[in-house]
Amino acid sequence: MVKRHVVGAHYGLRDWLVQRVTAVIMLVYTLGVVAFILCANGASYEAWQELFACTWVKVVTTISITALLWHAWVGVRDIWMDYIQHVGVRLTMHVLTLLWLIGSLIYMVKVVWGVA
Amino acid sequence: MQKARPKHLALWQIRLPLPGIVSILHRISGALMFAAIPFMLYALEGTLSSAERFAAFKECIAHPVTKLFLLAVLWAYLHHACAGTRFLFLDIHKGTDLKTARVTAYIVLAVSLSLTAIIGALTW
């Protein structure tokens, strides 16, 4: 009989990939914003407002910040998993982390889509 | 097969090599930015608000304490992005030999710190 030691929930590869895909999304978005600021010569109040009035900018920003929040979830969860041994405390930190990120997600939608 | 192993985790005695310093700073900068997310969204809201609120927002970020906080987040972002890009290249087996790895680690530290200093000086 083969003895199998099944370890873990097998979400490791998926999260590893999520971490990298979201990182690339954020890098591209960052380069775009930096290019805008450099081209718009410091980005005046009007130019910045006009930029974020475009629907496609709002869509791209929403995607990028969502990628950021997902990226943060994987990273911060790794930190708790590495340093917190006590299961109860770790679970509590996971829940608080999720609440922090979901709250940020809702706030982000308000900030990005709230302007005319 | 449980064995009680001696542990030596005297953190102040362990001298990390340069790539190790970049790595732990990558984690620290990530944790810092995680804590800063809602505040940075608040800052974004400030830049997108009406002209009157924008003026009030400008006054708020002109305060030295706010500026130092924003510069800390800027450094964290730059270090995290530079170190992260380095890790992406390591993932595809680029720059894994010791010499290159040390040079790129040094570049990551230098670029993020000097860009933070330059932007800080320009916006102070």
Side-chain angles (χ1 to χ4, degrees):
Chain A
M1 206 173 122
V2 183
K3 257 194 161 180
R4 294 178 68 202
H5 293 279
V6 181
V7 176
H10 296 277
Y11 50 67
L13 179 66
R14 192 199 64 191
D15 284 354
W16 182 87
L17 207 58
V18 163
Q19 198 74 320
R20 274 135 192 95
V21 172
T22 52
V24 172
I25 293 173
M26 284 184 280
L27 283 172
V28 172
Y29 183 80
T30 303
L31 292 176
V33 173
V34 169
F36 170 80
I37 291 174
L38 291 178
C39 292
N41 203 7
S44 66
Y45 171 69
E46 288 80 16
W48 184 254
Q49 294 254 325
E50 257 173 54
L51 178 74
F52 275 88
C54 304
T55 302
W56 72 269
V57 175
K58 292 183 188 191
V59 171
V60 171
T61 303
T62 307
I63 291 172
S64 301
I65 297 181
T66 308
L68 186 151
L69 296 170
W70 196 354
H71 187 95
W73 162 242
V74 178
V76 172
R77 195 206 54 196
D78 281 352
I79 294 180
W80 302 140
M81 289 200 302
D82 280 353
Y83 301 133
I84 299 183
Q85 309 280 316
H86 190 279
V87 179
V89 177
R90 195 166 64 230
L91 183 66
T92 308
M93 294 318 287
H94 284 189
V95 171
L96 291 176
T97 303
L98 275 175
L99 289 176
W100 184 256
L101 291 173
I102 292 169
S104 299
L105 183 73
I106 296 167
Y107 183 35
M108 176 272 287
V109 173
K110 185 209 167 225
V111 169
V112 174
W113 293 91
V115 283
Chain B
M1 218 182 66
Q2 286 279 343
K3 263 201 256 175
R5 289 183 176 156
K7 273 187 186 170
H8 182 73
L9 277 177
L11 289 176
W12 59 92
Q13 281 180 20
I14 297 173
R15 274 197 64 232
L16 275 177
L18 210 51
I21 293 172
V22 166
S23 179
I24 191 63
L25 285 177
H26 188 247
R27 173 160 278 193
I28 292 168
S29 57
L32 173 75
M33 284 189 291
F34 166 74
I37 291 171
F39 304 102
M40 297 315 289
L41 285 173
Y42 179 73
L44 178 64
E45 190 177 36
T47 69
L48 294 175
S49 50
S50 63
E52 305 90 71
R53 279 197 60 198
F54 185 74
F57 169 75
K58 258 178 119 175
E59 222 169 273
C60 169
I61 60 166
H63 195 278
V65 176
T66 323
K67 268 193 180 170
L68 280 178
F69 165 74
L70 287 173
L71 280 177
V73 175
L74 177 69
W75 167 80
Y77 197 97
L78 288 168
H79 180 86
H80 207 85
C82 292
T85 308
R86 179 174 172 273
F87 292 145
L88 286 176
F89 278 105
L90 293 179
D91 279 345
I92 53 169
H93 308 293
K94 302 272 183 218
T96 48
D97 63 293
L98 188 58
K99 198 174 165 235
T100 318
R102 280 195 181 141
V103 171
T104 51
Y106 182 81
I107 292 172
V108 166
L109 278 176
V111 165
S112 48
L113 280 172
S114 46
L115 270 180
T116 308
I118 291 168
I119 297 173
L122 286 175
T123 55
W124 197 261

